[in-house]
Amino acid sequence: MKFFVEIGPCNFDTCVQLAENGWAGIVCEPHPKFYNDVCQIYGKYPFVQKVEAAISDVNGKVSFAPSLTTELKDGEDWWKQGISHVTSKNHMGTRIKDVGNNHKLYDEDIWVESMTLNTLLERYKVDQVDYLKIDAEGHEMNILKGYDWDILPTVIQLEHWHIDDGAAKAILEEHGYIVNVEKRDIYAIR
């Protein structure tokens, strides 16, 4: 059975089409409200585990800026729901909350459970990943640098909007990936 790991889907940018096609997987969402949404979205797929945690380079807890959860009307900037991010001192990417007036788009910081990608895969006894999707709003480098690469996903989709895409590309190429950098995402294939 094909297997995916999805980090940071919020409630709109999901891999549900993989689950619909019989894939098993793990979905990680640290925002409490959006975690509940993810549970509903993936609720009918018994081979998809839902995990309420931030994937990071540390096991324990991280400070987290949850985006506002108020419902946005049609035509408004619905994407603002998906800009939650880790705000702990170890965060390597852009702190979106600190840019311009963005602080108005967030609720008060909270502490959420965090774990490394290694810990996640060990905890759920995963020995293969066919597709890894990481959309962690600037925390992608933490995830990549905190991973030991014992399991090499076949395909990786990594948002690079809030990180140094050259550094991410170098890490992926170091592990044998053919890398394509597009406007928002990096695609890496082994």
Side-chain angles (χ1 to χ4, degrees):
M1 180 178 287
K2 295 282 189 179
F3 195 89
F4 70 91
V5 175
E6 181 177 19
I7 299 169
C10 188
N11 61 359
F12 60 86
D13 187 16
T14 69
C15 291
V16 75
Q17 57 274 57
L18 297 178
E20 288 172 349
N21 283 291
W23 287 47
I26 301 173
V27 181
C28 302
E29 175 56 58
H31 191 302
K33 189 255 189 246
F34 299 135
Y35 172 73
N36 289 331
D37 292 350
V38 164
C39 288
Q40 289 181 359
I41 291 166
Y42 285 100
K44 65 181 179 180
Y45 304 105
F47 298 112
V48 178
Q49 298 289 322
K50 284 78 65 187
V51 178
E52 186 176 5
I55 304 305
S56 185
D57 53 348
V58 295
N59 292 309
K61 299 252 183 200
V62 291
S63 178
F64 184 76
S67 60
L68 295 172
T69 59
T70 54
E71 295 298 322
L72 297 171
K73 297 175 186 158
D74 289 340
E76 289 190 40
D77 295 329
W78 55 268
W79 59 267
K80 291 177 181 175
Q81 294 182 116
I83 58 172
S84 301
H85 64 91
V86 172
T87 55
S88 293
K89 290 180 183 178
N90 68 321
H91 181 73
M92 295 178 194
T94 301
R95 293 182 195 286
I96 305 165
K97 184 178 179 178
D98 296 340
V99 176
N101 287 324
N102 284 353
H103 64 278
K104 295 176 183 178
L105 302 174
Y106 292 90
D107 288 326
E108 187 174 320
D109 283 10
I110 59 175
W111 289 92
V112 298
E113 181 182 352
S114 71
M115 67 181 82
T116 66
L117 184 53
N118 294 339
T119 299
L120 176 75
L121 298 178
E122 289 168 10
R123 184 175 292 174
Y124 290 92
K125 298 178 179 22
V126 175
D127 59 7
Q128 83 174 41
V129 177
D130 298 290
Y131 181 69
L132 171 63
K133 180 176 173 273
I134 305 174
D135 184 351
E137 301 305 316
H139 209 61
E140 292 85 359
M141 290 300 292
N142 295 74
I143 295 166
L144 294 178
K145 288 185 174 187
Y147 186 51
D148 67 13
W149 299 94
D150 284 347
I151 297 173
L152 296 169
T154 306
V155 176
I156 299 173
Q157 178 185 353
L158 174 84
E159 185 183 65
H160 67 83
W161 199 254
H162 306 290
I163 62 169
D164 177 347
D165 57 355
K169 181 177 188 269
I171 289 171
L172 294 166
E173 288 177 340
E174 177 184 321
H175 293 287
Y177 286 89
I178 297 169
V179 179
N180 183 39
V181 179
E182 295 186 359
K183 184 176 179 178
R184 292 191 71 96
D185 292 313
I186 292 173
Y187 292 91
I189 300 170
R190 277 188 62 79

